[in-house]
């Protein structure tokens, strides 16, 4: 089920609905291979083929949505979709005018379709099994095509097909002592995987040293781009949403109201142009190349969905319904990679964070755990792996008063989320050196 | 056997050693009203199948929404190809793979399903609730919502297994956001945990509109409440927070696939090891935990899991001693110990893994008043709002929407931002009193995340009110 299938599916929707109706339609689909590993052997291997179309049936200011998983036979799928759409038409009498309904009527087509070029997943799996023999290698290799599409009754057509892979793995030494790594992108390179594997194996030897348990308190720390990514994911949970801000629920309320600020070196964007997020949204608005969310540590803009735009009388910037970033980026700093350990001096090298949540949402106080290879560093030298420890600290300290530097090199990371379907999002982030992080348990 | 898809599957002889199919049809409706305005309603029709094939010593799966003759054939072909390609590399032996051929059926107990209430009446209920929620200027946002899901699940296997299960899931919610002088407080219907397999009859005991009044008033009350105190003290957890406590610090660590290491790259490992079953003192003698897929109306009740295993009630922790893990047939074979029927996939597009289903803490003997009377200095906490736990499911920190301060055996006032932290290994040993049947309630959520590829699945948790002693409690941030 690809571009032509989707466009053919909705081709006669206008006729089915009749002249007093308009529609917007979104398509989401994938052909994915998923192979998960445990102890360098295959735990589960399989393939998922799926596609879903969602149609907003609109008459004046009344509307309702229907969605259908597609079987792949065009006649059958059309029949099922038309039945749903006709049911939606009949139900419209129960709905009132929606004052916040907004969709694009300015027709802007776009097409970004790639052909499949990755080697067969089974070939890559053989490489992985061969290369990791004898290791406590755990993780998943996912690959395949993802599709997102849009069409409306005004004739607009948009489609993006991407082929990516995401090999996300850890190598365990014992119990919870492990190194985590990820190779992902559009082109599989066995050399790149082998390099990442070797790097992880080298780090594994550091984990064999006796582990250090820190007492609770404040410590200097370096947060890797992956750890910064975990914090960004938490902030994305309403932090950049215009609606959440307008209704006083945003965890970044104090930043929005200028009551508090972050460090002036923090520049944060939704960078659709260089990320992998979908370049259009379900109302048909195309996303701008870049939206500045935080500028020099201060609030710049929120992500505004069409619905929020209508509600508050402002312009939309093509945000999704949740108003969460899909291609988040933080500007680079000045700390060189080779200077990270010496600049940290004595403190904690945090490679991964885990299971974050807000312990005080209004004040953007976050809690979470260290996970995987986190090390105690003294005088710029890694001395010992650390036992997991809980932090509880404010974003205004971590990325504000206690931020010493961001790294010059940034890491581009494809979103690994596969809930219901493979995510198409990405992050482009530096690491962060902080004067203090508060550990509590 | 008149279902055309079943015929397409069962009428052919597939050239493999064993196969099973999970055919899932789901009809979902989402309705919500925010600030008295009906939000875009959504109706979803979702259908697909998962085929799992054992061939030689390999196992493969394929999921497809193409249920035509051709689509089913392609799915079997793809699953067989994976079985053949991985035959030399599987982490378990072919004989460990469960070849189960169940017969039977299951039906949710819902009486007044959403089909029995007109769309107009469903919307009117939500509009009334939103009207109530928003009728105070301190409420800056509100939402009343219903999510309905009718799921038909058919399990078929190569030797004639055929089990049909029909589920009716109902997930109502209410939310009020109160704001004043820079302070925002949230109150929801049981921490968004009122999911069950009942229908509108759940409102007979708890009228939706009356619940909206309570949610609104409690959200406003929190704005002028004192901050939760900090210190070691007694903690009474109500069933809508016990749900999360049981889930995170008993449910996940007892999942056998985690203990076997499958989840170490994503959901995590467990502080529980195989040698602990039968002897480990998980909690005080009052701690009795059951896996109970038979509790009528609880969100994750069912008759068969997705390996085809017949589900029945089992004690996982008895009188405080750890006795049995949460492991399906495959995990049981790998670990060589008995488990439960809990191998489940979140939908047709995900393979079965060890999940929680209904995991309940059995009621004790104390009334709620007796529990409160036993507390000299403590806090009662309701409705989860924040949750975080380490990857071994040991060190946790949880926050609640609403707290009450208890002094010298009496409830004295409301407190806001109640949080607590602890360590699973020791926390359950501080369980001092368990409430009796009059305090026993069950809740559920569709959002338990785990697995690679990721799966969010429905779970249910029932519990009485419980008293824990000497817990680290704290309030809002001071930085």
């Amino acid at each position: 089920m690809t571009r032509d299938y989707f466009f053919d599916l909705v081709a006669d929707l206008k006729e089915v609905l009749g002249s007093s109706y308009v529609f917007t339609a979104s398509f989401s689909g994938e052909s994915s291979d998923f192979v998960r590993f445990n102890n360098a052997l295959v735990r589960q291997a399989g393939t998922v083929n799926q596609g879903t179309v969602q149609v907003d049936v609109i008459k004046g200011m009344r509307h309702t949505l229907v969605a259908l998983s597609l079987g792949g036979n065009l006649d059958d799928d059309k029949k099922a979709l038309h039945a749903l759409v006709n049911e939606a038409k009949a139900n419209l009498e129960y709905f009132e005018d929606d004052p916040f309904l907004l969709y694009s009527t300015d027709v802007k087509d776009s097409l970004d379709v790639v052909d499949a070029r990755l080697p067969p997943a089974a070939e890559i799996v053989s490489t992985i099994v061969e290369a990791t023999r004898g290791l406590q290698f755990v993780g998943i290799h996912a690959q395949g095509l993802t599709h997102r599409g849009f069409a409306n009754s005004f004739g607009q057509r948009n489609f993006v097909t991407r082929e990516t892979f995401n090999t996300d793995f850890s190598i365990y030494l014992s119990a919870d002592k492990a190194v985590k790594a990820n190779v992902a992108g559009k082109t599989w390179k066995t050399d790149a995987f082998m390099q990442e594997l070797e790097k992880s194996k080298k780090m594994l030897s550091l984990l064999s040293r006796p582990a250090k348990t820190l007492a609770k308190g404040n410590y200097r720390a370096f947060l890797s781009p992956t750890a910064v990514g975990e914090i960004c994911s938490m902030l994305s949970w309403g932090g950049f949403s215009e609606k959440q801000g307008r209704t006083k629920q945003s965890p970044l309320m104090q930043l929005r109201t200028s009551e508090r600020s972050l460090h002036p070196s923090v520049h944060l964007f939704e960078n659709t142009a260089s990320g992998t997020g979908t370049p259009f949204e379900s109302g048909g608005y195309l996303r701008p190349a870049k939206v500045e969310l935080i500028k020099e540590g201060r609030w710049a803009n929120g992500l505004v969905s069409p619905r929020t735009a209508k509600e508050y009388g402002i312009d939309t910037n093509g945000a999704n319904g949740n108003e969460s970033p899909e291609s988040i980026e933080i500007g680079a700093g000045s700390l060189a990679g080779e200077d990270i350990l010496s600049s940290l001096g004595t403190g904690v090298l945090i490679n991964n964070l885990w299971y974050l949540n807000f312990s005080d949402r209004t004040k953007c106080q976050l809690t979470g755990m260290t996970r995987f290879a986190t090390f105690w560093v003294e005088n710029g030298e890694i001395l010992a792996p650390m036992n997991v420890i809980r932090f509880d600290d404010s974003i205004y300290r971590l990325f504000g008063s206690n931020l010493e530097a961001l790294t010059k090199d940034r890491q581009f990371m494809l979103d690994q989320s596969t809930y219901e379907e493979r995510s198409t999002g990405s992050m482009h982030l530096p690491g962060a050196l902080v004067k203090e992080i508060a550990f509590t348990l | 056997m008149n279902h055309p898809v079943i015929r397409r599957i069962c009428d052919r002889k597939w050239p493999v050693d064993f196969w099973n199919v999970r055919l899932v049809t789901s009809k979902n409706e989402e309705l919500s009203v925010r600030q008295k305005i009906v939000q875009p309603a959504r109706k979803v029709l979702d259908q697909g199948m998962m085929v799992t094939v054992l061939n030689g010593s390999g196992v493969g799966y394929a999921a497809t929404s193409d249920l035509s003759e051709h689509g089913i054939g392609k799915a079997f072909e793809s699953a067989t190809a994976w079985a053949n390609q991985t035959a030399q590399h599987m982490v378990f032996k072919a004989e460990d793979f469960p070849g189960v051929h169940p017969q039977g059926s299951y039906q949710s107990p819902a009486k007044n399903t959403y089909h029995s209430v007109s769309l107009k009446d469903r919307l009117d209920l939500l509009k009334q609730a939103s009207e109530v929620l928003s009728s105070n200027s301190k409420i800056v946002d509100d939402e009343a919502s219903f999510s309905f899901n009718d799921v038909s699940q058919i399990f078929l296997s190569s030797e004639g297994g055929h089990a049909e299960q029909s589920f009716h899931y109902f997930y109502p919610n209410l939310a009020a956001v109160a704001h004043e002088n820079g302070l925002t407080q949230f109150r929801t219907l049981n921490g968004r945990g009122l999911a069950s397999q009942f229908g509108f009859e759940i409102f007979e005991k708890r009228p939706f509109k009356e619940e909206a009044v309570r949610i609104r008033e409690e959200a406003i009350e929190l704005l002028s409440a004192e901050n939760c105190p900090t210190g070691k003290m007694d903690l009474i957890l109500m069933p809508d927070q016990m749900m999360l406590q049981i889930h995170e610090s008993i449910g996940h660590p007892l999942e056998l696939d985690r203990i076997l290491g499958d989840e170490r790259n994503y959901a995590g490992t467990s502080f529980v090891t195989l040698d602990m079953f039968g002897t480990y003192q998980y909690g005080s003698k009052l701690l009795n935990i059951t896996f109970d897929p038979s509790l009528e109306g609880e969100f994750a009740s069912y008759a068969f899991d997705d390996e085809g295993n017949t589900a029945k009630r089992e004690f996982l922790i008895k009188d405080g001693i750890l006795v049995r893990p949460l492991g399906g047939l495959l995990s049981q074979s790998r670990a060589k110990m008995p488990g439960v029927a809990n191998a489940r996939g979140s939908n047709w597009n995900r393979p079965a893994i060890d999940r929680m289903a209904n995991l309940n803490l059995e009621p004790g003997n104390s009334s709620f008043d007796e529990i409160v009377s036993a507390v000299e200095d403590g806090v009662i906490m309701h409705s989860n709002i924040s949750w975080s736990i380490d990857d071994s499911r040991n060190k946790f920190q949880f926050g609640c929407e609403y707290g009450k301060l208890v002094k010298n055996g009496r409830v004295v006032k409301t407190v806001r931002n109640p949080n607590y932290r602890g360590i699973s290994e020791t926390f359950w040993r501080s369980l001092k009193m368990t409430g009796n049947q009059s305090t026993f309630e069950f809740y559920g959520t569709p959002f338990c995340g785990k697995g690679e590829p990721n799966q969010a699945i429905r779970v249910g948790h029932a519990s009485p009110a419980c008293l824990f002693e000497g817990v680290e409690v704290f309030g809002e941030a001071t930085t």
Side-chain angles (χ1 to χ4, degrees), chain B residues 70-283:
Chain B
H70 175 71
I72 290 168
K74 271 187 76 175
F76 267 89
E77 207 174 279
S78 178
T80 307
W82 273 120
N84 295 339
Q85 283 154 357
T86 57
Q88 305 306 312
H89 311 306
M90 296 302 292
V91 78
F92 55 86
K93 295 183 189 118
E95 58 263 32
D96 289 336
F97 191 78
V100 181
H101 308 286
Q103 297 288 336
S105 62
Y106 172 85
Q107 173 82 47
S108 286
K111 292 184 186 107
N112 302 322
T113 69
Y114 76 98
H115 303 288
S116 67
V117 179
S118 71
L119 177 58
K120 181 184 175 303
D121 289 347
R122 299 199 290 273
L123 285 168
D124 282 348
L125 266 172
L126 293 171
K127 282 190 235 175
Q128 286 163 14
S130 180
E131 178 86 39
V132 168
L133 288 169
S134 59
S135 62
N136 186 300
S137 59
K138 289 177 184 171
I139 300 295
V140 292
D141 204 9
D142 68 86
E143 188 166 30
S145 63
F146 293 151
S147 172
F148 307 96
N149 210 333
D150 281 331
V151 178
S152 155
Q153 191 161 312
I154 300 172
F155 182 94
L156 305 165
S157 67
S158 47
E159 306 301 316
H162 186 154
E164 297 202 5
Q165 305 190 86
S166 294
F167 303 97
H168 176 81
Y169 299 111
F170 182 27
Y171 183 33
N173 194 38
L174 293 164
V177 184
H179 179 83
E180 191 176 46
N181 300 328
L183 180 69
T184 302
Q185 288 291 311
F186 302 84
R187 200 71 180 100
T188 63
L189 194 57
N190 300 109
R192 301 181 188 275
L194 197 61
S196 75
Q197 290 186 31
F198 287 129
F200 280 90
E201 62 268 25
I202 62 163
F203 298 139
E204 285 166 12
K205 282 185 189 160
R206 304 176 60 179
F208 199 51
K209 202 169 162 184
E210 286 177 27
E211 287 293 88
V213 173
R214 181 179 64 81
I215 297 290
R216 179 195 67 204
E217 290 306 307
E218 288 180 354
I220 293 166
E221 182 191 6
L222 286 167
L223 291 174
S224 54
E226 281 180 22
N227 187 25
C228 179
T230 296
K232 279 209 166 179
M233 61 189 77
D234 284 353
L235 173 63
I236 299 172
L237 295 181
M238 299 308 287
D240 63 359
Q241 170 60 18
M242 280 302 295
M243 164 189 175
L244 189 279
Q245 184 67 53
I246 294 166
H247 181 93
E248 301 289 4
S249 80
I250 292 181
H252 281 307
L254 297 198
E255 289 163 348
L256 196 45
D257 59 345
R258 293 177 77 109
I259 297 169
L260 291 167
D262 293 351
E263 288 286 333
R264 287 178 291 174
N265 185 56
Y266 176 60
T269 178
S270 176
F271 73 91
V272 173
T273 50
L274 292 175
D275 58 320
M276 287 158 74
F277 289 92
T279 55
Y280 182 70
Q281 185 81 42
Y282 207 101

Side-chain angles (χ1 to χ4, degrees), chain A residues 38 42-43 47 50 54 65 67 69-71 87 96 136 170 172 248-249 355 358 363 371 392 418-419, chain B residues 41-43 45 47 63 65-66 82 89 127 184 248 262 264-266 349-350 386 388 397 454 477:
Chain A
N38 186 8
V42 174
R43 167 64 184 88
T47 297
Q50 58 182 354
Q54 176 170 288
L65 296 152
S69 61
L70 300 169
E87 191 186 338
E96 296 154 7
Q136 283 197 56
S170 355
Y172 272 76
K248 317 293 185 195
Q249 300 175 66
Y355 220 130
F358 296 110
K363 294 181 178 171
R371 189 177 177 186
D392 195 315
T418 48
Y419 284 103
Chain B
R42 188 163 179 260
K43 197 160 198 166
L45 178 56
Q47 191 172 30
S65 49
D66 183 351
W82 273 120
H89 311 306
K127 282 190 235 175
T184 302
E248 301 289 4
D262 293 351
R264 287 178 291 174
N265 185 56
Y266 176 60
N349 60 0
R350 293 291 181 262
S386 175
S388 173
Q397 179 170 316
N454 306 149

Side-chain angles (χ1 to χ4, degrees), chain B residues 93 95-98 256 260 328-337:
Chain B
K93 295 183 189 118
E95 58 263 32
D96 289 336
F97 191 78
L256 196 45
L260 291 167
L329 290 174
L330 175 58
S331 295
Q332 291 172 39
S333 296
R334 291 167 68 197
K336 298 185 174 42
M337 63 167 60

